[in-house]
Amino acid sequence: MTFSQPLHTLQSQLCSVARKSPSLAKKLHAQIIKAGLNGHEPFSNTLLDAYGKCGLIQDALQLFDALPQRDSVAWASLLTACNLTNLPQPALSISRSLLRTGFHPDHFVFASLVKACANLGPLHVKQGKQVHARFLLSPFSDDDVVKSSLVDMYAKFGLPHYGRAVFDSISSLNSISWTAMISGYARSGRTFEACQLFRETPYRNLFAWTALISGLVQSGNGVDAFHLFVEMRREGVSIVDPLVLSSVVGACANLAVLELGKQIHGLVITLGYESCLFISNSLIDVYAKCSDLVAAKYIFCKMCRKDVVSWTSIIVGTAQHGQAEMALALYDDMVLAGVKPNEVTFVGLMYACSHAGLVSKGRALFRSMVEDYGIKPSLQHYTCLLDLFSRSGHLDEAENLIRTMPFNPDEPTWAALLSACKHHGNTKMAVRIADHLLKIKPEDPSSYILLSNIYAGAGLWEKVSKVRKVMMVMEVKKEPGYSCVDLGKESHVFYAGETSHPMKDEIIGLMRKLDAEMRKRGYVPDTSSVLHDMDQQEKERQLFMHSERLAVAYGLLKAVPQTIIRVVKNLRVCGDCHTVLKLISTIANREIHVRDAKRYHHFKDGNCSCNDFW
DNA sequence: TTAGGGTTAG
């Protein structure tokens, strides 16, 4: 490259090559300054655009600040730069100053501005609506591109009905507007409307399929998402990019169905996407969530490029399965590899610390998150810290934190602290917290059971009867518990108390044998979690028929010998089942993995990876 | 110069 080329060559270089090469963009900038063309409108705007497109956001911001005049092209280029690098904070301050200066945006600026608001997320609904209002009052209020971006913005805010109003006003709908609207319905759980719109669209392409399937996965409807994926395959839609696959892999993780995850993994390999970063990240997660950590680590180790999500996924996976030291060692490796942790990484790390009772390490990590990485702690981080203090018996510190943290503690948070008081035998604090919890009227039946147990433990019988009355008045009923056992080629769901299974005699027979052996070893049923008033024998019968026990017994009868019995449960494991599963792991000499509503339990040789705290 | 689908926690 020479520095004495004609101006039009310079301009065209900026437009093409510089967008892909940061170093070339900088060289051309230097050339512009040398030629005295600094501040010349066409050059500065094109350079701004080039900096933005090759990811040099700081340079773009500096250049913009130095501009003597800022026209629509400059504002649009800067906002596009922020949007491309997904930097919501600079975009936020840019859009604020843009609106403050009284500048009249054109349709290009509006489209970028709306996209910036969408990237900022649902916490910035107000700002998004302000931009929408300004657009409606502008001379560009008929522009369909801006309307499409508004549909997308409301989709990302979780307000699809607002998006629908804009969608209906679009004069010429295209593939982009349809996709944005389908995604809006799907991701906010409006499955019916999403599917209806999908059936109506003339653009039934991979974008629309991905929007629908991914949206359903995001809103927790993995089963429907899977059926649609099967339909998509049957229609012969060519999977020319792997985006839909990462969602489908994610659905396997949420549903914790290992066999299905393996099949999708096979498909990923067949289609040639196994080395794609996003896909590998999802695969780490699916194997970790299906409690096959060996496979998760294998995927992780084989990746040639690892980003923060890859590291975080493996750290969270190992932490959730009770391998705290391993999770912390992985974090050290991550820092050494020069990858910057994010807010999710710290959730995983603090979770690891709380499992291993590493109080000072957890505190230090919380501090490091704020001071070294500038991450503002969220409610989840405070919950992790609280869990760390509670589990390790630092109850005063836990109570102090819950009362001083900058978030309103919700019912599960108080219930967690209460449960810790019970675990550590601090009756005085337990009663104080129970009184508070009773005042805020919990909705979860298990909170009432906990309250009742606390008062009973403290001999406060009047309060016990008060709790029972509240439960009766509110008709507090437990959600039916079910457990799914994964046997590789098949899986089976058992409901608590279910006796309709064709193999019920064998299942109950095995459970009786195990029960007799457990009682020989000193097992006494703990009926404190049984909700209803009934005699001891009936309570014990209820516990005996808890879904995880049926599932594990069936697993012992049907699974390949020596293999791990894998169970997924919708509710939390009760104290008695936890004791029973530990005993069964010794008696049957079998490893049992249970994923409950809160965490993972690996039962082996009479112990559990959660260290009896959950 | 502007608009659509993807991964980690909860």
Side-chain angles (χ1 to χ4, degrees):
Chain A
M1 188 181 75
T2 60
F3 278 18
S4 55
Q5 53 194 302
L7 292 183
H8 67 270
T9 316
L10 196 60
Q11 178 79 352
S12 83
Q13 276 199 325
L14 271 173
C15 289
S16 54
V17 192
R19 290 180 184 180
K20 292 168 201 154
S21 159
S23 58
L24 190 52
K26 287 198 165 192
K27 274 184 190 163
L28 290 167
H29 189 184
Q31 197 178 349
I32 287 168
I33 295 170
K34 214 172 164 185
L37 297 165
N38 206 15
H40 256 257
E41 202 128 285
F43 285 112
S44 43
N45 282 345
T46 317
L47 188 60
L48 192 60
D49 180 59
Y51 272 155
K53 295 235 164 60
C54 61
L56 293 170
I57 184 74
Q58 288 309 327
D59 296 82
L61 282 164
Q62 269 177 19
L63 187 66
F64 182 81
D65 283 337
L67 284 181
Q69 278 186 330
R70 291 155 187 177
D71 61 5
S72 279
V73 181
W75 282 107
S77 301
L78 190 63
L79 283 165
T80 304
C82 294
N83 291 339
L84 281 174
T85 40
N86 199 11
L87 283 172
Q89 285 319 315
L92 182 69
S93 53
I94 291 161
S95 50
R96 274 191 186 133
S97 58
L98 186 149
L99 296 174
R100 236 191 348 254
T101 53
F103 179 82
H104 293 290
D106 67 2
H107 48 309
F108 290 103
V109 176
F110 271 122
S112 302
L113 205 48
V114 171
K115 187 172 178 170
C117 292
N119 287 345
L120 286 165
L123 287 175
H124 295 86
V125 171
K126 199 177 157 190
Q127 188 152 22
K129 284 184 176 174
Q130 277 174 357
V131 173
H132 188 181
R134 291 277 296 252
F135 166 68
L136 289 175
L137 295 171
S138 77
F140 306 96
S141 61
D142 281 336
D143 188 89
D144 282 349
V145 171
V146 180
K147 287 182 186 174
S148 282
S149 58
L150 281 165
V151 173
D152 175 56
M153 180 187 82
Y154 286 120
K156 294 205 166 93
F157 286 170
L159 300 168
H161 48 297
Y162 282 95
R164 185 60 196 248
V166 181
F167 179 82
D168 288 336
S169 78
I170 295 177
S171 52
S172 175
L173 289 168
N174 62 12
S175 167
I176 295 174
S177 32
W178 278 97
T179 309
M181 195 62 242
I182 291 167
S183 170
Y185 280 134
R187 69 172 76 190
S188 58
R190 306 262 294 260
T191 308
F192 178 77
E193 287 97 330
C195 289
Q196 197 177 35
L197 213 58
F198 179 76
R199 309 280 170 215
E200 284 171 24
T201 182
Y203 304 96
R204 203 180 165 100
N205 53 23
L206 184 62
F207 272 80
W209 277 107
T210 309
L212 181 63
I213 293 170
S214 309
L216 294 188
V217 174
Q218 281 168 38
S219 62
N221 193 350
V223 175
D224 283 339
F226 237 101
H227 288 142
L228 284 160
F229 181 66
V230 171
E231 193 185 331
M232 178 186 140
R233 296 283 293 153
R234 269 202 210 113
E235 270 190 24
V237 177
S238 181
I239 304 181
V240 290
D241 65 51
L243 276 70
V244 71
L245 291 175
S246 54
S247 286
V248 176
V249 173
C252 298
N254 297 338
L255 299 167
V257 272
L258 182 59
E259 200 53 37
L260 205 53
K262 282 182 183 168
Q263 282 183 25
I264 297 294
H265 188 177
L267 180 65
V268 163
I269 294 168
T270 310
L271 295 171
Y273 293 123
E274 76 270 33
S275 55
C276 168
L277 180 69
F278 273 96
I279 297 286
S280 300
N281 289 346
S282 310
L283 284 168
I284 295 173
D285 188 48
V286 79
Y287 282 111
K289 287 223 170 79
C290 296
S291 78
D292 191 344
L293 263 187
V294 176
K297 280 181 188 159
Y298 181 74
I299 305 262
F300 175 78
C301 292
K302 272 190 68 181
M303 289 170 77
C304 45
R305 193 169 84 80
K306 301 177 178 89
D307 70 355
V308 62
V309 178
S310 334
W311 284 98
T312 302
S313 301
I314 196 72
I315 287 172
V316 169
T318 44
Q320 284 179 331
H321 289 285
Q323 298 184 18
E325 302 292 344
M326 175 66 82
L328 293 168
L330 279 163
Y331 175 63
D332 292 339
D333 293 343
M334 174 183 177
V335 175
L336 277 176
V339 178
K340 200 178 146 195
N342 67 14
E343 64 282 7
V344 187
T345 321
F346 284 100
V347 171
L349 289 169
M350 286 167 62
Y351 188 91
C353 290
S354 90
H355 267 259
L358 303 168
V359 182
S360 48
K361 177 77 183 167
R363 253 197 229 109
L365 280 165
F366 188 88
R367 228 182 0 255
S368 167
M369 174 179 82
V370 180
E371 290 169 9
D372 302 334
Y373 296 100
I375 297 168
K376 198 176 162 196
S378 68
L379 179 60
Q380 274 77 46
H381 296 116
Y382 281 103
T383 308
C384 287
L385 201 55
L386 200 68
D387 191 44
L388 174 71
F389 293 151
S390 313
R391 285 168 68 104
S392 54
H394 293 61
L395 296 173
D396 291 325
E397 209 168 343
E399 193 181 4
N400 187 35
L401 181 69
I402 206 172
R403 293 191 191 277
T404 55
M405 65 186 191
F407 293 95
N408 259 341
D410 55 5
E411 175 200 338
T413 310
W414 283 112
L417 181 56
L418 184 57
S419 164
C421 293
K422 188 182 168 219
H423 187 85
H424 291 286
N426 190 333
T427 313
K428 210 173 146 191
M429 189 190 280
V431 170
R432 188 169 68 241
I433 289 166
D435 288 346
H436 178 77
L437 195 54
L438 193 59
K439 255 188 238 158
I440 61 171
K441 291 218 169 133
E443 284 172 12
D444 183 358
S446 61
S447 294
Y448 285 99
I449 298 165
L450 187 59
L451 285 173
S452 169
N453 289 343
I454 294 292
Y455 290 134
L460 299 165
W461 303 109
E462 272 181 28
K463 289 197 174 174
V464 171
S465 88
K466 188 180 168 189
V467 172
R468 302 242 156 180
K469 270 182 204 153
V470 176
M471 285 166 78
M472 276 165 68
V473 172
M474 291 178 72
E475 289 189 346
V476 173
K477 280 186 190 131
K478 240 179 156 172
E479 183 189 342
Y482 65 84
S483 297
C484 180
V485 59
D486 186 352
L487 299 173
K489 284 192 180 134
E490 62 148 329
S491 59
H492 196 89
V493 178
F494 287 90
Y495 281 84
E498 182 184 62
T499 50
S500 62
H501 194 275
M503 280 179 67
K504 70 170 183 198
D505 293 338
E506 288 101 316
I507 295 169
I508 303 286
L510 175 61
M511 287 165 74
R512 287 217 175 100
K513 265 193 212 164
L514 288 167
D515 189 69
E517 182 56 37
M518 287 190 298
R519 285 180 197 256
K520 268 191 215 161
R521 298 181 186 211
Y523 161 69
V524 179
D526 168 14
T527 54
S528 63
S529 67
V530 180
L531 187 62
H532 304 290
D533 276 323
M534 52 185 69
D535 65 34
Q536 181 66 16
Q537 210 180 356
E538 180 54 25
K539 280 185 180 177
E540 285 185 20
R541 205 195 69 81
Q542 286 232 340
L543 286 177
F544 185 79
M545 295 297 280
H546 271 183
S547 64
E548 54 271 57
R549 297 193 201 188
L550 294 163
V552 166
Y554 184 64
L556 286 170
L557 288 168
K558 291 276 285 189
V560 176
Q562 310 299 321
T563 54
I564 298 167
I565 311 266
R566 299 175 200 274
V567 173
V568 178
K569 191 185 169 173
N570 65 330
L571 306 175
R572 289 174 76 172
V573 176
C574 80
D576 190 61
C577 284
H578 198 265
T579 308
V580 165
L581 293 178
K582 283 199 292 184
L583 283 163
I584 292 178
S585 73
T586 315
I587 295 166
N589 191 23
R590 204 64 179 263
E591 206 171 322
I592 302 165
H593 292 185
V594 178
R595 184 182 105 168
D596 75 6
K598 280 275 171 188
R599 62 188 75 218
Y600 294 82
H601 304 266
H602 288 207
F603 300 97
K604 195 183 174 190
D605 304 327
N607 297 307
C608 180
S609 59
C610 80
N611 295 329
D612 302 337
F613 202 120
W614 69 100

